[in-house]
Amino acid sequence: RGVEETAARLLSGGRMSRLEEQQARMKAQDDQLAQLGEGVDRIRGIGQNIHEEAKTQLGLLDRLEADVDQTTQGIREETKHAESVTVSGQTFYMYVCVAILVLIMILELVVGLQ
């Protein structure tokens, strides 16, 4: 406003004293500093919001990492379990084959002795 008042006085033909000119400049500078201060406050607020959001995102990433680690461990355990079931299943199949072969041998002995 100070600049506008000064321009209006000059256009109307009025002369300003040096003191009035300095006061007008100081008023304009004060207005500009106030606007600059408002801008700095807005930027600070945005920075704080970004900081809070980053903290939230880091917390989520930490929880996700823990979940992934837990899931990975569970998969490893299940893989070991599946391997042991496979091995024990193969062992059981071998025992069944041995039992069948023993029965066949006994049958052949019985048939061969008659």
Side-chain angles (χ1 to χ4, degrees):
R1 272 196 273 176
V3 173
E4 293 170 359
E5 290 173 5
T6 304
R9 279 190 185 183
L10 290 174
L11 289 175
S12 67
R15 300 290 291 167
M16 294 178 65
S17 69
R18 283 195 122 153
L19 178 61
E20 289 175 325
E21 286 178 22
Q22 286 179 341
Q23 287 175 342
R25 284 187 193 131
M26 287 174 52
K27 174 77 171 114
Q29 289 174 351
D30 287 344
D31 291 343
Q32 290 173 350
L33 285 174
Q35 289 176 353
L36 183 63
E38 290 171 4
V40 168
D41 287 342
R42 281 192 303 271
I43 291 172
R44 184 186 52 191
I46 291 169
Q48 288 173 340
N49 288 341
I50 290 171
H51 174 72
E52 290 301 316
E53 183 64 26
K55 280 177 30 179
T56 301
Q57 294 294 326
L58 284 174
L60 291 172
L61 286 173
D62 287 343
R63 278 188 263 150
L64 179 63
E65 181 181 16
D67 290 346
V68 167
D69 288 345
Q70 183 179 2
T71 302
T72 300
Q73 184 61 32
I75 289 172
R76 285 184 182 139
E77 289 174 6
E78 286 304 315
T79 300
K80 286 180 185 176
H81 181 258
E83 288 172 354
S84 69
V85 166
T86 301
V87 168
S88 66
Q90 289 173 350
T91 305
F92 176 74
Y93 176 73
M94 287 178 10
Y95 285 130
V96 168
C97 287
V98 168
I100 291 173
L101 289 174
V102 168
L103 285 174
I104 291 173
M105 285 176 54
I106 291 173
L107 283 174
E108 285 193 16
L109 282 174
V110 169
V111 170
L113 290 176
Q114 289 181 359

